[in-house]
Amino acid sequence: MSGRFITFEGGEGAGKSTQLRLLADALRGAGIDVLATREPGGSQGAEDIRRLLVEGEPGRWDATTEILLHYAARRDHLVRTVWPALSAGRWVLSDRFADSTEAYQGRGHGLPRHAIEQLYQLVVGAFAPDLTLILDLPVEEGLRRAAGRGGLEDRYERMGLEFHQRLRQGFLEIAKAQPRRCVVISAAAAAEEVHAAVLRVVRERFGAVVPA
Ligand code: TMP
């Protein structure tokens, strides 16, 4: 696969979608063919599954059913959207990927790491992002920002403060364990400042693809 796969990760309200859009615009401005996508979702089947995951009561699924739904959505997204785009040489930017499963279903719900790794092997195989940007923000601030968005997609937002604190810790531990792939960026500053930090990391990793 000749394109690049960049994932954005973080808790609720960290500004991933905004940062993804800003990076996509910058890369496109530099003549790069970019596909912006998201998880759960990013293909027709995965968007159908998304509604089952992000709407409704927090206790709607037990943790194992929930992780299977996320991985079913991920498989469809990879097969129908991500892999074909990478094969065509496009840069794929995804709002969330498998680190969210490790953080939310692993640290948040307490599913064992070895089971999650087995699912990853089955569904994703040896494939992994070229770069993962983890946007980090204190949990209370993130939930406050997320609550302002409104809408039906608030199932995870309602899972409680401790759940969100565990998953924030989870993301930081993932970054520590995989420093070649992951970079933590503070999301506390204004969007433009966070964007500048994102661009610095992208230039460090991929060279001067975007003019300074
Ligand atoms: P979003 O609000 O960032 O689009 O993400 C939807 C929700 O799905 C978010 O609360 C995090 C959650 N999620 C998981 O719990 N596990 C996963 O593997 C993914 C991709 C998302």
Side-chain angles (χ1 to χ4, degrees):
M1 290 182 201
S2 51
R4 299 262 188 260
F5 185 42
I6 301 175
T7 56
F8 286 75
E9 297 280 11
E12 307 297 317
K16 291 175 289 81
S17 311
T18 304
Q19 291 306 322
L20 189 150
R21 186 170 41 75
L22 291 171
L23 178 61
D25 289 348
L27 292 170
R28 285 182 185 127
I32 293 172
D33 186 4
V34 174
L35 174 75
T37 186
R38 68 171 180 180
E39 287 205 348
S43 63
Q44 196 181 326
E47 289 290 334
D48 288 345
I49 297 170
R50 177 185 175 93
R51 278 189 288 282
L52 300 174
L53 284 161
V54 300
E55 296 178 11
E57 287 310 303
R60 177 175 187 182
W61 309 110
D62 91 310
T64 301
T65 312
E66 187 172 299
I67 196 172
L68 291 170
L69 287 170
H70 276 293
Y71 263 104
R74 181 158 301 134
R75 179 72 192 180
D76 199 64
H77 183 221
L78 285 168
V79 169
R80 311 260 176 209
T81 303
V82 176
W83 288 336
L86 290 173
S87 295
R90 306 182 74 185
W91 286 42
V92 178
L93 310 188
S94 185
D95 187 339
R96 298 193 183 281
F97 188 61
D99 296 318
S100 281
T101 316
E102 173 70 30
Y104 279 75
Q105 282 67 48
R107 311 304 165 93
H109 287 327
L111 286 175
R113 183 176 299 170
H114 69 89
I116 299 177
E117 280 168 5
Q118 281 177 344
L119 274 173
Y120 188 102
Q121 280 310 312
L122 175 72
V123 172
V124 185
F127 175 75
D130 297 295
L131 172 65
T132 296
L133 299 159
I134 296 177
L135 301 186
D136 182 57
L137 193 66
V139 166
E140 290 86 348
E141 170 66 7
L143 287 173
R144 202 180 52 72
R145 289 189 194 176
R149 291 192 301 231
L152 284 176
E153 295 196 341
D154 65 349
R155 180 167 167 263
Y156 285 95
E157 282 166 44
R158 292 186 281 135
M159 283 189 187
L161 204 60
E162 280 176 17
F163 175 87
H164 289 278
Q165 268 150 357
R166 285 198 299 280
L167 70 88
R168 181 189 187 196
Q169 225 30 59
F171 278 125
L172 296 177
E173 283 166 25
I174 291 168
K176 213 166 167 188
Q178 300 184 60
R180 283 165 58 89
R181 175 172 67 82
C182 302
V183 179
V184 178
I185 293 177
S186 168
E192 273 310 318
E193 252 177 80
V194 179
H195 176 54
V198 167
L199 284 182
R200 277 196 297 276
V201 173
V202 168
R203 286 191 199 103
E204 269 166 34
R205 293 295 166 115
F206 304 117
V209 285
V210 187

